[in-house]
Amino acid sequence: LDIFAIGYDHRMYHKWFEGGWSGWESLGGMFSSQPAAVCWGPNRIDVFARGMDQALYHMWWDGHAWNGWESLGGGLSSAPAAASWSANRLDVFVRGYDMHLYHKWWDGSAWSGYENLGGILTGDPGAVSWGANRIDVFYPGQNSHLWHKWWDGIRWSGEEDLGGVLSAGVGVSSWANGRLDCFVEGTDSALYHKWY
């Protein structure tokens, strides 16, 4: 298990479980959002966060050492969300200054530009992949409902309104092909769960 958090000093911190919990390790940087982390294979972790300049920053563990931070640019108005659907593949989602959802990906050799996926986001997105060439993205929409958009290997879907009344961003995970679990905070500060 690996945990990433931003300290009071705006630096990234890492704690891991390997037969017992480690202490907190400082990974440096200066950040203005919560981090997002994803793993695409054994001994590999990629971490993303919004810098103090509102750009997206990336750091990775290659099995031997931490590399980065590298700036991936952009003008973010949210924390990032990250997913991976195969080895050496990364997909990152952020809210831009115009409140639209933006997508940037690593294809194994280079980073793409930012792809505008539209929508109106009122909070941080969440993203997950249940298998090869599949990505699901969730976010609070303008009416505070949970909204869903997905990549099926060929194209992006339209937006799907999943209802609810959210007061924060979305957490999402998948434990099998075709399975999605979403977690949100309601306006009563309670935790709610919706699954597919």
Side-chain angles (χ1 to χ4, degrees):
L1 296 169
D2 291 84
I3 300 172
F4 300 89
I6 305 302
Y8 287 130
D9 57 2
H10 298 284
R11 289 178 169 79
M12 181 81 71
Y13 288 87
H14 172 222
K15 190 179 184 81
W16 63 95
F17 184 87
E18 195 171 19
W21 285 105
S22 70
W24 285 101
E25 169 190 27
S26 174
L27 299 179
M30 289 292 286
F31 301 104
S32 60
S33 80
Q34 294 183 30
V38 69
C39 171
W40 53 251
N43 253 321
R44 174 73 187 211
I45 307 171
D46 290 81
V47 187
F48 301 87
R50 180 183 64 191
M52 302 302 277
D53 59 358
Q54 313 310 311
L56 178 65
Y57 284 82
H58 172 224
M59 181 182 236
W60 64 98
W61 172 260
D62 63 10
H64 303 286
W66 285 105
N67 300 269
W69 294 95
E70 66 170 335
S71 174
L72 298 179
L76 284 61
S77 65
S78 74
S84 175
W85 52 259
S86 75
N88 220 2
R89 171 74 190 203
L90 295 165
D91 291 87
V92 186
F93 300 88
V94 301
R95 182 181 68 180
Y97 291 146
D98 58 4
M99 310 297 276
H100 290 187
L101 179 67
Y102 284 85
H103 173 218
K104 189 177 186 75
W105 63 94
W106 172 261
D107 64 9
S109 59
W111 283 102
S112 71
Y114 282 93
E115 174 187 23
N116 187 340
L117 297 180
I120 298 292
L121 281 66
T122 59
D124 298 338
V128 71
S129 171
W130 75 39
N133 249 319
R134 174 73 188 209
I135 311 168
D136 289 82
V137 187
F138 299 86
Y139 46 88
Q142 205 167 17
N143 54 5
S144 298
H145 289 187
L146 177 64
W147 290 82
H148 175 218
K149 196 174 187 74
W150 64 94
W151 171 259
D152 64 9
I154 299 169
R155 66 182 62 85
W156 283 102
S157 70
E159 291 184 291
E160 178 183 23
D161 186 343
L162 297 178
V165 183
L166 284 61
S167 63
V170 182
V172 59
S173 66
S174 175
W175 49 261
N177 196 310
R179 173 75 188 206
L180 297 165
D181 289 86
C182 293
F183 300 88
V184 301
E185 180 186 353
T187 52
D188 57 0
S189 297
L191 178 65
Y192 288 86
H193 175 217
K194 190 176 186 79
W195 64 95
Y196 177 83

